[in-house]
Amino acid sequence: WLALFLVCPEAALDDVPNQEGGFSLFDKRPKFVSWSRGLESRGKFERLFTPDNGIGTPPAIQDQDFLKGLQSLRDIVAEAEVNGKRLRAYGSRFSTTKVNYNTEWLVDSQGLNYIKVGIDDATEVAPGYLDKSGRLVFVQAGVNLRRANRFLLENGLALKTSSATDGQRIVGAASTGTHGANSEAGSVQDMVRGIHLVIPGRHVFVQRASDPVVTAAYAESLGGAEFIESDALFKAAVTSFGSFGLIHGMLIEADPLYRVQGSVRRITKEEGFAILEDFDVA
């Protein structure tokens, strides 16, 4: 497994990028190659856009450091609409399938690496989450598990669940419903509390109406996002494989820092089948 994910993939881009607006783009059909080198995960496409926050590496995380990247996404979506092009998120290329691939335009969100731990303004937090405001974390689409883990550790927090590797981007893992843990923690998408989507002519922040986490003031702080509370829309968008628009970022809920303890014991085939019937692993 280590060898699988540490091998450097073959060159995925055949051309030098041209700067256009707040993002870079590549022409002449570069090639998509997944890190896992799945045979179904490669192919030619027309253009690759690489939006960036423009705040350097490593970025100095400030409250407004995401605004340039957000505007870049809005510009890209607008250009795709004008040109009648399909647009998909490029992701970190950990998927072994073509779920995030199309032959037209792709967006690599690696440069969107803003992360904000905690919500400082109490007026932006719903009453039921005031005591958890320090555990609410906004992650831009380019934030992977490695970066999130580092920031959370510095704040005494941890992700509710993870995967065996840490190169995946949280937004991509949530959007594809992957990396489950156990019956209590669920999968990556189960720690998502809000979604910031960029669609043609609009950008919206969606959360469950039955579980309000933030107020309209928080959506306004995201560059003036439209505030939507809907269980149906949230459930449809959180694991939508990118079909609801480009996800600029997600608001997730972290846990206080914890240790994981594991144990292994031998069981019979009959005991294993019984566990699969009722999921009682006690």
Side-chain angles (χ1 to χ4, degrees):
W1 284 103
L2 284 177
L4 176 64
F5 287 107
L6 290 179
V7 168
C8 182
E10 61 191 84
L13 299 171
D14 301 324
D15 302 285
V16 177
N18 300 309
Q19 294 297 323
E20 184 171 298
F23 51 85
S24 302
L25 60 89
F26 296 80
D27 290 304
K28 298 183 182 178
R29 300 181 69 76
K31 184 168 64 175
F32 178 96
V33 183
S34 71
W35 283 97
S36 57
R37 294 176 172 269
L39 294 178
E40 297 301 316
S41 302
R42 59 187 67 201
K44 295 283 186 177
F45 56 94
E46 294 176 13
R47 298 170 79 180
L48 173 66
F49 296 84
T50 58
D52 191 280
N53 292 321
I55 52 179
T57 304
I61 300 301
Q62 304 295 331
D63 286 343
Q64 302 297 308
D65 277 349
F66 62 87
L67 288 179
K68 183 177 179 181
L70 170 61
Q71 187 59 51
S72 296
L73 284 185
R74 298 189 67 187
D75 291 343
I76 293 167
V77 170
E79 185 175 350
E81 183 184 27
V82 168
N83 288 275
K85 294 293 185 178
R86 290 181 297 167
L87 188 65
R88 302 283 291 187
Y90 190 71
S92 61
R93 297 175 290 129
F94 266 62
S95 175
T96 59
T97 73
K98 286 186 176 181
V99 67
N100 59 337
Y101 166 74
N102 83 78
T103 59
E104 296 182 7
W105 291 5
L106 291 173
V107 177
D108 181 0
S109 60
Q110 183 175 358
L112 305 180
N113 55 5
Y114 172 86
I115 181 170
K116 177 69 165 60
V117 178
I119 300 178
D120 303 322
D121 188 343
T123 66
E124 297 178 357
V125 184
Y129 276 82
L130 284 172
D131 61 338
K132 299 180 181 179
S133 61
R135 291 164 48 186
L136 298 176
V137 184
F138 185 82
V139 292
Q140 245 185 340
V143 175
N144 61 19
L145 272 68
R146 182 184 310 112
R147 180 171 176 77
N149 283 330
R150 189 187 77 196
F151 270 77
L152 292 175
L153 178 62
E154 293 173 356
N155 289 271
L157 299 172
L159 296 173
K160 288 178 176 290
T161 185
S162 187
S163 61
T165 56
D166 60 4
Q168 296 91 330
R169 297 175 193 169
I170 292 178
V171 168
S175 296
T176 53
T178 187
H179 299 304
N182 56 47
S183 58
E184 295 180 2
S187 303
V188 172
Q189 74 273 7
D190 292 307
M191 59 186 171
V192 178
R193 298 292 176 263
I195 311 162
H196 188 199
L197 281 164
V198 177
I199 56 181
R202 305 162 64 189
H203 62 115
V204 301
F205 182 85
V206 185
Q207 69 175 3
R208 294 183 182 91
S210 63
D211 184 27
V213 179
V214 296
T215 66
Y218 181 79
E220 180 63 28
S221 74
L222 295 175
E226 180 182 340
F227 187 52
I228 298 177
E229 293 184 292
S230 168
D231 284 39
L233 283 177
F234 179 89
K235 291 176 182 178
V238 68
T239 304
S240 63
F241 299 93
S243 60
F244 264 58
L246 291 184
I247 298 178
H248 170 248
M250 288 179 166
L251 185 68
I252 65 173
E253 181 185 347
D255 278 346
L257 196 61
Y258 57 85
R259 291 179 180 271
V260 176
Q261 178 176 317
S263 62
V264 179
R265 69 180 179 89
R266 185 182 299 274
I267 61 173
T268 66
K269 179 177 68 175
E270 290 71 26
E271 288 174 317
F273 284 141
I275 291 173
L276 292 177
E277 289 289 335
D278 56 19
F279 292 99
D280 180 5
V281 297

Coordinates of all heavy atoms in Angstrom, one line a residue, residues 3 34 51 53 57 65-66 75 109 120 131 149 176 178 188 195 209 223 238 257 264 266 269 280:
A3 N 3.8 1.6 -1.2 CA 4.4 1.7 -2.5 C 3.4 2.2 -3.5 O 3.7 3.0 -4.4 CB 5.0 0.3 -3.0
S34 N -4.7 8.9 -12.3 CA -5.0 8.7 -10.9 C -3.7 8.3 -10.2 O -2.9 7.6 -10.8 CB -6.1 7.7 -10.6 OG -5.7 6.4 -10.9
P51 N -7.5 27.1 -9.7 CA -7.7 28.2 -8.9 C -6.8 28.3 -7.7 O -6.4 27.2 -7.2 CB -9.2 28.1 -8.5 CG -9.5 26.6 -8.6 CD -8.6 26.1 -9.7
N53 N -5.7 30.7 -3.9 CA -6.0 31.8 -3.0 C -5.0 32.9 -3.2 O -5.3 34.1 -2.7 CB -6.0 31.3 -1.6 CG -7.2 30.4 -1.3 OD1 -8.3 30.6 -1.8 ND2 -7.0 29.3 -0.5
T57 N 2.9 30.1 0.0 CA 3.1 28.8 0.6 C 4.2 28.8 1.6 O 5.3 29.2 1.3 CB 3.4 27.7 -0.5 OG1 2.4 27.7 -1.4 CG2 3.5 26.3 0.1
D65 N -8.8 34.9 3.7 CA -7.8 34.3 2.7 C -8.4 33.4 1.6 O -7.7 33.0 0.7 CB -6.7 33.5 3.5 CG -5.6 34.4 4.0 OD1 -5.6 35.6 3.7 OD2 -4.8 33.9 4.8
F66 N -9.7 33.1 1.7 CA -10.3 32.3 0.8 C -11.0 33.0 -0.4 O -11.4 32.5 -1.4 CB -11.4 31.4 1.4 CG -12.5 32.2 2.1 CD1 -13.6 32.6 1.3 CD2 -12.4 32.6 3.4 CE1 -14.6 33.3 1.9 CE2 -13.4 33.3 4.0 CZ -14.5 33.7 3.2
D75 N -15.6 32.6 -11.4 CA -15.2 32.9 -12.8 C -15.2 31.7 -13.7 O -15.6 31.8 -14.9 CB -13.9 33.7 -12.8 CG -13.9 35.0 -12.1 OD1 -15.0 35.6 -11.9 OD2 -12.9 35.5 -11.7
S109 N -8.4 21.7 -7.4 CA -8.6 22.7 -6.3 C -7.4 22.6 -5.3 O -7.5 23.2 -4.2 CB -9.8 22.3 -5.6 OG -9.8 21.0 -5.1
D120 N -15.5 32.4 15.4 CA -15.3 33.4 16.5 C -16.5 34.2 16.8 O -16.7 34.6 18.0 CB -14.1 34.3 16.1 CG -12.8 33.5 15.8 OD1 -12.6 32.5 16.5 OD2 -12.1 33.8 14.9
D131 N -22.0 25.9 22.1 CA -20.9 25.2 22.9 C -20.0 24.4 22.1 O -19.0 23.9 22.6 CB -21.6 24.3 24.0 CG -22.4 23.2 23.4 OD1 -22.9 23.4 22.2 OD2 -22.7 22.2 24.1
N149 N -5.4 17.4 9.7 CA -4.9 16.8 10.9 C -3.9 17.7 11.7 O -4.0 17.8 12.9 CB -4.3 15.4 10.6 CG -5.3 14.3 10.4 OD1 -6.4 14.4 10.9 ND2 -5.0 13.4 9.5
T176 N -17.8 11.6 -2.4 CA -17.9 10.2 -2.9 C -18.3 9.2 -1.9 O -18.3 8.0 -2.2 CB -16.5 9.8 -3.5 OG1 -15.5 10.0 -2.6 CG2 -16.2 10.6 -4.8
T178 N -16.9 8.0 0.9 CA -15.9 6.9 1.1 C -15.3 7.0 2.5 O -15.5 7.9 3.3 CB -14.8 7.0 0.1 OG1 -13.9 5.9 0.2 CG2 -14.0 8.3 0.2
V188 N -16.7 9.8 6.1 CA -16.2 11.2 6.1 C -17.4 12.2 6.0 O -17.5 13.2 6.6 CB -15.2 11.4 5.0 CG1 -14.9 12.9 4.8 CG2 -13.9 10.6 5.3
I195 N -22.4 23.0 3.4 CA -21.7 22.9 2.1 C -21.8 24.2 1.4 O -22.9 24.8 1.3 CB -22.4 21.8 1.3 CG1 -22.5 20.5 2.0 CG2 -21.6 21.6 0.0 CD1 -23.5 19.6 1.4
A209 N -32.1 21.8 7.7 CA -33.1 22.5 8.5 C -33.3 21.9 9.8 O -33.6 22.6 10.8 CB -34.4 22.6 7.7
G223 N -18.2 35.4 1.5 CA -18.3 36.2 0.3 C -19.8 36.5 -0.1 O -20.0 36.7 -1.3
V238 N -24.4 16.6 -0.4 CA -23.2 16.2 0.4 C -22.5 15.1 -0.3 O -21.2 15.0 -0.3 CB -23.6 15.9 1.9 CG1 -24.4 14.6 2.0 CG2 -22.3 15.8 2.7
L257 N -9.5 15.9 20.9 CA -8.4 15.0 20.6 C -8.6 13.7 21.4 O -9.0 13.7 22.5 CB -7.1 15.6 20.9 CG -5.8 15.0 20.4 CD1 -5.9 15.0 18.9 CD2 -4.6 15.7 20.9
V264 N -7.6 -7.3 18.4 CA -7.8 -8.3 17.4 C -8.1 -9.6 18.2 O -7.3 -10.0 19.1 CB -6.7 -8.5 16.4 CG1 -7.0 -9.6 15.4 CG2 -6.4 -7.1 15.7
R266 N -9.6 -13.8 17.3 CA -10.1 -14.8 16.3 C -11.5 -15.2 16.6 O -11.9 -15.4 17.7 CB -9.2 -16.1 16.4 CG -9.5 -17.1 15.3 CD -8.6 -18.3 15.4 NE -7.2 -17.9 15.3 CZ -6.5 -17.9 14.2 NH1 -7.2 -18.1 13.0 NH2 -5.3 -17.5 14.1
K269 N -16.3 -18.6 11.6 CA -17.1 -18.1 10.4 C -18.5 -17.8 10.9 O -19.2 -16.8 10.5 CB -17.1 -19.1 9.3 CG -17.9 -18.7 8.1 CD -17.7 -19.7 7.0 CE -18.4 -21.0 7.3 NZ -18.4 -22.0 6.2
D280 N -23.8 -6.2 15.8 CA -23.5 -6.1 17.2 C -22.1 -6.7 17.4 O -21.9 -7.9 17.3 CB -24.5 -6.9 18.1 CG -24.1 -6.8 19.6 OD1 -23.2 -6.1 19.9 OD2 -24.8 -7.5 20.4

